[in-house]
Amino acid sequence: MLIDGKLVEAEGGSVFDNINPTTEESLGQVANGSASDMANAVAAARNAFDNTSWATDTELRKRCLDQLQAALESEQEELRQELVAEVGAPIALTYGPHLDAPLKHAITWPREMIDKFEWSRSLGPADALGWGMQTERVVWKEPKGVVGAIVPWNFPAELTLTKLGPILAMGNTCVLKPAPDTPFNATRIGRLIAEKTEIPPGVVNVVPSRDHAVGEVLTRSPDVDMIAFTGSTATGRRIMEAAASTIKDVFLELGGKSALVVLDDAPLEEVLATAAMACIHGGQACAQASRLLVPRNKYDEAVEICKTSFENWKYGDPSVFENMQGPQINQTQQQRIIGLFDSAREQGATTVFGGGIPAHLEKGFFVEPTLFANVTNDMRIAQEEVFGPVLCVIAHDGDDDAVRIANDSTYGLSGGIHSGDLDRALAVARRIRTGTLSVNGGIWYGADAPFGGYKSSGIGRQCGIEGLEIFTETKLVGWPV
Ligand code: NAD
């Protein structure tokens, strides 16, 4: 662990195994942080915020972020292999969203923004109360303070870096709590910070733990000013409840149940040729569209095209470049997914492809890429986040009906629309209540692009200007002109 600038063991030398989901074998051990380790990390972060120049010295922050970037790049290949091993991340994806893409932008963009961010803005003089006193009013943006950053296992390095970049650039200190299933990338980042940067002790602390309750220390501590959380909606809800006791700010990136809407003028063959991409990374991506909405009069044709795409889909060992789907993260997830597949069949869905655990893969928490037809939007498989390799094909009766079905979800994270007419697609996009939307296959993602959800998919935005602002407080000062 990294606490107060030192690489330390957990209290009492406690450790836990990090399991490779492909081989089911231990990759090695990691410090099993306790509640008191977490309390020490919070105290270190508090002290670093209150008693060092980190919050105010932008030159120091820029230098440190450059050092962190160089340090990360120096172990890029080790990070890559580690993500394949501990996450089961398809290696091809490490050249994009899992690693190389965030390594390019997640730290460098917020670092650049230190000089461009509007830290101060004048509202101009005013006699607001009508007392004849002209007052100059200025808004200052200041760091929030100590941020508890809690990350899940699905894109651990990406999510860690997209939190660390803005948190540090804006002048905050933090305690990072990685997910128990994927701790190595975080402890590596912690070691790089300790060994290869001048980031002052306590500014970043990394506390892995097998016990989710250790994360709760962060959410309840009066010394933590904000929680930045990515994970499930259920945990997000618990975090919000815990944070209420100290009126802590929460930023929540939660689950999704996104719909890909195909309008009747879209080139069906072209759009659905890649339908099996719903299974990328075993469907363990929050913004992945898992509901496919196609025109009712083209339903059978659409299912046939999807089926061909699934038949050509390659999955298995994540270190093989062609495999875009590796294992699920653990056995619990694997079994949960199979349970949801069973419920789909019980509720009347038809299994067109897959639907179970692959017999040919003896080891690993694999699930077959799965295509369900005859799905209606009220089924559990269409309402609950599966986080598995599945696509559900649902019929719609035109644009209004497609919008209704897409919005008939407690989630509101992402989705997509395909149409031969861009204006028509954009009109539909206006009506779908989600935080991001891809139109005709466009990719919206980026360190400069605000990402987050409506409804139960979260609160606030990560990345972009919005994602910098969430890590700041607003102070208003006024003086007589
Ligand atoms: P999870 O909610 O089980 O755990 C996420 C993190 O929270 C882990 O580090 C865990 O140890 C910690 N945690 C658990 N209970 C806690 C508590 N009571 N207090 C503090 N911390 C606690 O999520 P997961 O299963 O690891 O990840 C999958 C989920 O994450 C999916 O629902 C997915 O949609 C979501 N996700 C969302 C986004 C997004 O940006 N919206 C991105 C990736 C993943």
Side-chain angles (χ1 to χ4, degrees):
M1 304 189 294
L2 172 63
I3 297 182
D4 206 14
K6 295 182 201 69
L7 297 170
V8 293
E9 293 187 352
E11 184 185 15
S14 177
V15 291
F16 66 102
D17 281 315
N18 186 4
I19 304 296
N20 178 329
T22 309
T23 63
E24 302 180 32
E25 282 163 13
S26 175
L27 289 163
Q29 294 183 316
V30 65
N32 185 26
S34 67
S36 84
D37 290 323
M38 187 57 95
N40 290 340
V42 170
R46 184 79 259 163
N47 182 52
F49 185 78
D50 293 342
N51 300 316
T52 73
S53 62
W54 182 255
T56 51
D57 188 344
T58 54
E59 290 309 311
L60 171 66
R61 300 213 296 270
K62 285 191 276 180
R63 191 165 72 246
C64 287
L65 286 174
D66 287 342
Q67 293 164 349
L68 175 57
Q69 178 68 20
L72 290 164
E73 286 173 11
S74 75
E75 296 193 10
Q76 186 162 353
E77 294 316 308
E78 289 85 347
L79 274 163
R80 186 185 316 287
Q81 294 310 326
E82 213 160 62
L83 287 169
V84 174
E86 72 173 346
V87 185
I91 192 160
L93 289 187
T94 69
Y95 292 93
H98 258 296
L99 183 65
D100 288 7
L103 260 193
K104 249 195 201 123
H105 305 296
I107 303 291
T108 57
W109 188 79
R111 182 255 181 254
E112 267 172 45
M113 292 306 294
I114 293 175
D115 285 333
K116 296 181 186 158
F117 187 72
E118 194 177 43
W119 292 101
S120 161
R121 93 176 180 273
S122 169
L123 301 179
D127 175 18
L129 299 185
W131 290 348
M133 182 197 274
Q134 287 290 323
T135 297
E136 174 65 41
R137 296 155 312 148
V138 176
V139 178
W140 289 339
K141 291 289 185 181
E142 298 181 342
K144 273 271 178 224
V146 176
V147 180
I150 305 177
V151 261
W153 43 260
N154 62 332
F155 281 83
E158 191 269 345
L159 288 162
T160 296
L161 297 180
T162 50
K163 284 192 171 40
L164 280 185
I167 287 171
L168 298 179
M170 293 293 101
N172 302 278
T173 65
C174 78
V175 179
L176 170 69
K177 219 293 278 146
D181 284 302
T182 55
F184 278 0
N185 65 95
T187 51
R188 178 180 293 277
I189 292 169
R191 181 177 56 69
L192 289 173
I193 286 171
E195 291 178 350
K196 297 194 177 182
T197 77
E198 289 170 70
I199 294 178
V203 167
V204 181
N205 305 272
V206 182
V207 182
S209 177
R210 181 171 46 194
D211 183 2
H212 291 312
V214 169
E216 288 225 23
V217 175
L218 283 175
T219 60
R220 296 191 182 277
S221 169
D223 285 331
V224 175
D225 298 289
M226 175 179 178
I227 297 289
F229 171 75
T230 300
S232 62
T233 295
T235 306
R237 204 170 277 127
R238 268 205 304 282
I239 285 175
M240 225 175 148
E241 281 167 13
S245 64
T246 52
I247 315 291
K248 223 183 275 319
D249 228 317
V250 289
F251 158 73
L252 305 173
E253 292 276 8
L254 310 175
K257 191 72 205 177
S258 302
L260 181 65
V261 177
V262 181
L263 301 181
D264 60 11
D265 63 350
L268 207 60
E269 185 82 46
E270 189 185 314
V271 168
L272 299 184
T274 54
M277 289 284 272
C279 304
I280 205 162
H281 192 19
Q284 300 171 118
C286 51
Q288 193 68 22
S290 52
R291 293 183 292 156
L292 175 66
L293 276 47
V294 298
R296 193 176 301 279
N297 61 2
K298 296 186 177 179
Y299 190 84
D300 293 343
E301 189 191 345
V303 170
E304 269 314 301
I305 302 169
C306 290
K307 186 170 172 231
T308 306
S309 173
F310 273 69
E311 284 164 352
N312 294 326
W313 181 247
K314 298 212 169 21
Y315 72 105
D317 182 348
S319 65
V320 173
F321 204 85
E322 289 70 30
N323 290 338
M324 296 293 264
Q325 175 190 341
Q328 309 309 126
I329 191 69
N330 56 37
Q331 198 166 26
T332 308
Q333 285 293 324
Q334 183 197 40
Q335 295 304 322
R336 201 183 58 82
I337 292 163
I338 296 298
L340 276 163
F341 287 0
D342 289 341
S343 85
R345 286 182 282 254
E346 280 158 22
Q347 292 189 302
T350 312
T351 314
V352 180
F353 194 88
I357 292 176
H360 69 287
L361 295 166
E362 280 171 16
K363 284 270 176 203
F365 309 118
F366 289 94
V367 171
E368 287 180 318
T370 296
L371 178 64
F372 282 122
N374 300 318
V375 175
T376 53
N377 205 51
D378 55 349
M379 292 180 185
R380 281 183 65 201
I381 196 82
Q383 287 292 329
E384 294 183 25
E385 186 181 48
V386 182
F387 233 52
V390 63
L391 186 64
C392 297
V393 193
I394 299 173
H396 73 74
D397 293 308
D399 298 15
D400 290 350
D401 193 43
V403 168
R404 179 190 65 75
I405 298 170
N407 285 337
D408 176 19
S409 169
T410 54
Y411 294 110
L413 191 57
S414 189
I417 301 132
H418 279 279
S419 168
D421 174 350
L422 180 62
D423 288 339
R424 183 177 169 193
L426 292 175
V428 169
R430 286 256 179 225
R431 298 168 63 195
I432 294 182
R433 292 186 43 78
T434 62
T436 61
L437 279 165
S438 159
V439 173
N440 288 341
I443 293 171
W444 38 259
Y445 187 79
D448 60 345
F451 170 56
Y454 285 30
K455 303 194 267 182
S456 297
S457 290
I459 297 178
R461 293 293 177 272
Q462 180 161 297
C463 302
I465 298 292
E466 290 85 348
L468 298 177
E469 284 180 339
I470 57 159
F471 293 117
T472 63
E473 273 291 2
T474 299
K475 183 178 281 174
L476 176 62
V477 289
W479 58 88
V481 178

